[in-house]
Amino acid sequence: MDIHSANECTRCSLSETRTTVVFGSGSLDAALIVIGEAPGKSEDEGGAPFIGRSGQLLFSLIAEELTMSREDCYVTNVVKCRPPENRTPLAPEIAACAPWLEAQRSMWSGKVVLTLGLTAARAMTGSKAAMKDLHGVPVVRDHLTIVPTYHPAASLRQGPSVVAVMRADLAVVRGLLS
Ligand code: URA
């Protein structure tokens, strides 16, 4: 896959409603790779992942728990185009977009992956388990160590208890990076 052609991608019908292909941001050499579900409205308009409210919470937690900034991470999503009304991406959309994630994966030199939410956890670990069982437990797959945690949007909806779990999961990431 030539990543330079990603902006013209029409592999699924999300290309008909997107404003921008949100491919990824940050250095491919980053030690930590952060993977979300799909761009939201702010990302679709701004062209970079996690630049809206979820991103604000996410990167404040990463700053506090890992003393890392957005620029210290490579950030992307399982699906690179915004689903209408921010619905969960459908299985065929995830499958259509998988070669882009695979192309990114082949370029990362980092080995630690933080996934946000169930879509990213399942895509990266291959597990069908629930988030309550997946979060905070590292899974080694294809030379990557994947740590699933909740999506920051869930924390924004559900409050401090989910933030506390995310902090604990980030402590697992901290241990892997040190
Ligand atoms: N939610 C995601 O999963 N990814 C983004 O980039 C923004 C919000």
Side-chain angles (χ1 to χ4, degrees), residues 36-40 43 49-50 77 151:
E37 178 174 294
E43 292 77 18
F50 285 102
N77 286 297
H151 196 286

Side-chain angles (χ1 to χ4, degrees), residues 22 35-44 48-55 58 70 75-79 86 116-117 120 151-153:
V22 181
I35 307 182
E37 178 174 294
K41 188 172 191 292
S42 309
E43 292 77 18
D44 181 56
F50 285 102
I51 54 173
R53 280 185 73 214
S54 287
L58 171 67
R70 163 189 284 277
V75 189
T76 190
N77 286 297
V78 172
V79 165
N86 296 344
L116 305 164
H151 196 286

Side-chain angles (χ1 to χ4, degrees), residues 12-18:
C12 80
S13 60
L14 295 181
S15 62
E16 292 161 19
T17 49
R18 73 172 178 232

Side-chain angles (χ1 to χ4, degrees), residues 54-68:
S54 287
Q56 267 173 26
L57 174 61
L58 171 67
F59 288 106
S60 72
L61 291 177
I62 286 181
E64 287 167 25
E65 299 301 326
L66 304 179
T67 50
M68 290 170 78

